[in-house]
Amino acid sequence: MKMILRFILFVMSLALLSGCWDAKDIQDIQYISAMGIDYQNGQYVIYVQVTSFAGVAKQEGLEPKPTPVWVAEGRGKTMNEAMNDIYKRSNQYIYWAHVKLIIFSESLLKHGLDNVNDPILRFQQIRETTWLYGTDDSLEKILFVNSLFGSSVQTSIFNPEDIYKLRSFVEPIRFKDFIRKIMKQE
């Protein structure tokens, strides 16, 4: 009788250990690949480039199509409010760990980065190795740009070192190096 009871408990424990109940399919996640931060009328405005792989699983064996890209906008009096506004607008899980670049607008740079760096550094999914840019152009237009092959994930701003070697005079900088230089000045 003990042997049967042990066998039943063993089988039940195997049933509890198996499975991937919290696994998410690639088409059920919205990947943020780039982020632009602006400051307008006393509010932080965050533009995020969202890449969706919803059609990837359906294309097996077919010629791949360009991955669609959207730009979402979030607004708030603080950076956290603006990021939470993006969550309100999404109907799927948002994954920030693929952020490869952050673009600061000229108005944000003039306002100051005191309230920007801390929320980004404290958010665990955004890595400190992202590329950092500053611009006076429209952040939406920059994030909507497509490359020669139809994907904005493959544009030159995602790999600035090659472009810097070819024709640029401003050295690209990563977020961690920028923060390190700011900390030295304080």
Side-chain angles (χ1 to χ4, degrees):
M1 184 69 176
K2 272 187 171 180
M3 190 66 138
I4 294 173
L5 185 59
R6 284 184 185 175
F7 181 73
I8 290 173
L9 287 174
F10 177 72
V11 170
M12 287 176 59
S13 66
L14 286 178
L16 292 174
L17 293 176
S18 64
C20 299
W21 295 319
D22 63 343
K24 296 192 182 331
D25 291 328
I26 191 171
Q27 67 265 17
D28 297 332
I29 301 173
Q30 292 180 341
Y31 295 91
I32 307 295
S33 54
M35 180 167 66
I37 305 171
D38 197 0
Y39 190 78
Q40 301 171 355
N41 303 322
Q43 283 191 324
Y44 291 94
V45 183
I46 297 177
Y47 299 96
V48 292
Q49 187 181 67
V50 181
T51 307
S52 174
F53 295 103
V56 171
K58 298 172 188 159
Q59 294 180 10
E60 193 172 305
L62 299 174
E63 187 173 320
K65 295 178 184 174
T67 305
V69 174
W70 298 276
V71 174
E73 177 185 322
R75 293 178 175 268
K77 291 182 181 179
T78 65
M79 278 287 297
N80 288 332
E81 283 182 19
M83 290 174 88
N84 285 335
D85 193 35
I86 291 172
Y87 284 114
K88 289 181 206 173
R89 298 167 190 269
S90 174
N91 59 353
Q92 291 179 318
Y93 179 78
I94 296 177
Y95 192 64
W96 296 81
H98 288 288
V99 173
K100 299 287 185 228
L101 62 102
I102 299 173
I103 307 169
F104 294 148
S105 72
E106 183 178 20
S107 62
L108 177 73
L109 293 170
K110 286 179 181 176
H111 175 72
L113 300 175
D114 295 337
N115 299 323
V116 175
N117 293 333
D118 192 49
I120 292 173
L121 289 172
R122 289 182 188 263
F123 192 59
Q124 294 175 353
Q125 284 188 358
I126 298 177
R127 299 177 185 165
E128 295 174 6
T129 57
T130 59
W131 291 109
L132 192 61
Y133 292 91
T135 186
D136 59 352
D137 288 337
S138 165
L139 294 175
E140 273 186 291
K141 287 181 183 178
I142 292 171
L143 295 176
F144 266 124
V145 170
N146 285 335
S147 73
L148 183 63
F149 300 107
S151 172
S152 60
V153 179
Q154 298 171 349
T155 60
S156 61
I157 60 175
F158 284 91
N159 190 8
E161 290 175 320
D162 293 339
I163 300 302
Y164 173 67
K165 291 174 188 173
L166 289 174
R167 63 174 183 264
S168 184
F169 58 91
V170 178
E171 185 176 0
I173 187 169
R174 293 203 182 261
F175 190 59
K176 65 179 181 172
D177 299 327
F178 176 74
I179 295 299
R180 190 176 322 124
K181 288 178 182 180
I182 285 179
M183 296 298 189
K184 279 185 181 178
Q185 291 177 357
E186 291 180 359

